[in-house]
Amino acid sequence: MAEEEDDLILSELPDDELVPQMGDDLYDGLKDEVAEGVQILLDRGWAPYRILTEALVSGMTVVGNDFRDGILFVPEVLQAANAMKAGMGLLKPLLAETGAPKMGKMVIGTVKGDIHDIGKNLVGMMMEGAGFDVVDLGINTDADEYIDALAREQADILGMSALLTTTMPYMKIVIDTMAEKGIRDDYIVLVGGAPLNEEFGKAIGADAYCRDAAVAVETAKSFVARRHNQMPAG
Ligand code: B1M
């Protein structure tokens, strides 16, 4: 049986077997195999976004559930995350190469105390793909880092990500600090991450909560368009 698995040739599997196999490989942290699967689907004409959602993000959901249920532990989840990153690495240039005109600039980071960066990276890639410039501050970002970067980069949008119920309140600290400095309304503030919801976004004074990367892109586009329409003519 093990021998049979060793002999598995990914490129010979039809799509409906390859995708679940990629989920298994992601689960097992096999980054070369995940990257190979991504390349095969690309060669078969799958759109990068479809590969991202149907082959990678779906696989990561299974990892998340088993992590929650105590079946997987941090080292295994890290390996799965690295495998996901290997696959995303191939998709990134493709998602970014739509040649869309520049829409605006976003500064994005995962909030202080939080080291989850896969979702944030995905949002950054999708935003780049949609024509936004993206400045990624990484993980564990404090209010001063966000605020300094917004000014330095002359950004239009602040994006904050949090994956922990214990770190999501930090988003309010950032927004409150911006308000104290009198700069809150100079920027569009978008927030996201698995434990958040729309109500939370409103409660902390963000402009919008974004359920996923695609929603982040659409929301950013509509806010930027609204801003341009409000600008005085001439
Ligand atoms: Co962690 N972890 N983790 N983890 N981890 C979660 C979040 C958890 C839900 C797992 C669980 O219990 N089921 C749980 C949080 C529970 C809670 O707070 N209620 C948890 C925990 C507890 C922890 C630790 C505390 C575990 C420990 O040490 N005991 C620890 C925290 C360390 C810290 O941050 N200080 C920890 C560590 C880790 C790893 C390092 C092992 C690894 C992170 C690796 C990395 O990111 N480089 C990890 C992972 C991978 C996860 C899960 C399994 C997957 C997260 C992920 O990447 N999802 C996660 C379980 C889960 O969420 N199902 C879990 C895929 C990603 C594409 O989705 O990030 O939701 P997501 O992003 C989406 C949207 O949310 C949205 O768009 C993205 C794309 O569609 N979005 C935005 C996200 N950010 C946005 C920003 C925007 C807009 C949209 O701005 C505009």
Side-chain angles (χ1 to χ4, degrees):
M1 190 69 196
E3 238 175 54
E4 256 174 48
E5 278 179 16
D6 285 346
D7 289 344
L8 197 69
I9 298 174
L10 292 180
S11 60
E12 288 181 354
L13 297 178
D15 291 2
D16 62 347
E17 288 178 28
L18 175 61
V19 171
Q21 181 60 44
M22 286 170 69
D24 289 351
D25 290 343
L26 186 86
Y27 192 94
D28 292 336
L30 302 176
K31 60 181 179 148
D32 292 343
E33 285 77 356
V34 170
E36 188 186 342
V38 168
Q39 190 57 55
I40 293 168
L41 290 176
L42 283 171
D43 293 342
R44 290 183 189 173
W46 277 48
Y49 184 63
R50 183 173 173 213
I51 301 174
L52 199 58
T53 50
E54 292 183 27
L56 297 183
V57 173
S58 58
M60 205 61 194
T61 305
V62 180
V63 173
N65 292 343
D66 282 2
F67 187 31
R68 176 197 61 212
D69 297 341
I71 299 166
L72 288 181
F73 297 96
V74 170
E76 292 138 332
V77 178
L78 257 181
Q79 278 186 329
N82 283 337
M84 172 132 182
K85 282 185 182 178
M88 278 166 49
L90 287 170
L91 298 176
K92 182 175 179 176
L94 301 170
L95 289 166
E97 86 181 2
T98 60
K102 287 296 164 209
M103 303 281 301
K105 200 178 226 185
M106 173 186 243
V107 160
I108 191 167
T110 302
V111 295
K112 186 175 167 186
D114 201 323
I115 63 167
H116 294 88
D117 67 355
I118 295 175
K120 181 249 318 153
N121 295 346
L122 208 50
V123 172
M125 277 182 213
M126 295 284 295
M127 292 289 292
E128 281 178 355
F132 287 86
D133 284 322
V134 174
V135 178
D136 188 344
L137 302 179
I139 55 172
N140 199 19
T141 313
D142 72 21
D144 288 340
E145 289 173 273
Y146 283 121
I147 290 168
D148 291 349
L150 285 169
R152 182 180 68 241
E153 302 291 342
Q154 298 184 297
D156 308 287
I157 306 168
L158 169 62
M160 289 189 279
S161 179
L163 264 287
L164 298 172
T165 44
T166 48
T167 56
M168 57 193 242
Y170 192 77
M171 292 175 166
K172 179 162 165 34
I173 294 178
V174 177
I175 295 173
D176 287 351
T177 310
M178 290 169 75
E180 277 161 26
K181 292 181 186 281
I183 59 162
R184 165 63 188 90
D185 294 335
D186 296 346
Y187 304 100
I188 299 157
V189 179
L190 305 181
V191 295
L196 280 64
N197 57 31
E198 211 159 325
E199 214 173 40
F200 176 79
K202 276 196 192 123
I204 63 169
D207 289 300
Y209 154 72
C210 307
R211 189 182 64 243
D212 59 30
V215 170
V217 167
E218 288 315 311
T219 310
K221 277 185 186 168
S222 80
F223 271 95
V224 166
R226 223 180 289 172
R227 270 200 162 192
H228 286 168
N229 291 341
Q230 282 165 0
M231 277 181 187

